[in-house]
Amino acid sequence: MKYLQLFIIAFVALLHIYFMILEMFYWDKPRGLKAFGFKLEDAKISKTLAKNQGLYNGFLAAGLIWSLINTSNIKSIALFFLCCVTIAGIYGAYTTKKNKIFFIQSIPAILGIILTLFT
């Protein structure tokens, strides 16, 4: 079960690296427009905010990667960042009214929390 825990933490980290790249570099490009369902005009207006949001996703990914590298404190570091991801997903789904965010962001993090608590 330890390998599954490490896999899920790495998976959540990779998801957030992907989110960071989409938000910071592709927000107003075809890939970003498709991923977020924006029109080009709207994406251009919110581009600066998206870059900031992407940076925060990068920090979440960095924290999860740190938990994988710092094996002596993996449990506490991973739990902190997985809880941050879970809360961000819940808040994102609530404020945007897009439940997809909860399933993509929070569910893998919740699975990681469960595995970290019981491993």
Side-chain angles (χ1 to χ4, degrees):
M1 189 126 108
K2 181 78 171 175
Y3 291 113
L4 182 58
Q5 172 202 12
L6 297 175
F7 173 80
I8 294 296
I9 292 170
F11 176 72
V12 174
L14 289 172
L15 274 177
H16 282 77
I17 290 170
Y18 177 68
F19 299 155
M20 178 194 74
I21 291 168
L22 275 177
E23 292 165 349
M24 292 184 80
F25 306 110
Y26 292 102
W27 186 257
D28 59 350
K29 308 290 187 284
R31 174 171 271 182
L33 296 172
K34 182 178 179 188
F36 298 108
F38 284 122
K39 293 182 178 174
L40 181 59
E41 303 79 39
D42 297 329
K44 286 187 185 254
I45 292 169
S46 59
K47 185 175 182 176
T48 302
L49 292 172
K51 286 185 179 212
N52 189 45
Q53 185 174 301
L55 185 63
Y56 284 102
N57 278 316
F59 289 141
L60 292 172
L64 291 168
I65 292 167
W66 176 37
S67 78
L68 294 171
I69 294 169
N70 188 344
T71 55
S72 62
N73 292 321
I74 185 173
K75 189 170 191 171
S76 57
I77 297 168
L79 283 173
F80 174 79
F81 283 97
L82 289 168
C83 286
C84 288
V85 168
T86 301
I87 293 166
I90 292 167
Y91 187 75
Y94 174 75
T95 57
T96 64
K97 307 297 185 227
K98 294 182 179 178
N99 291 334
K100 181 171 95 170
I101 294 172
F102 175 77
F103 292 105
I104 292 172
Q105 190 170 10
S106 293
I107 294 295
I110 291 168
L111 181 58
I113 291 169
I114 292 167
L115 290 171
T116 300
L117 285 174
F118 297 106
T119 304

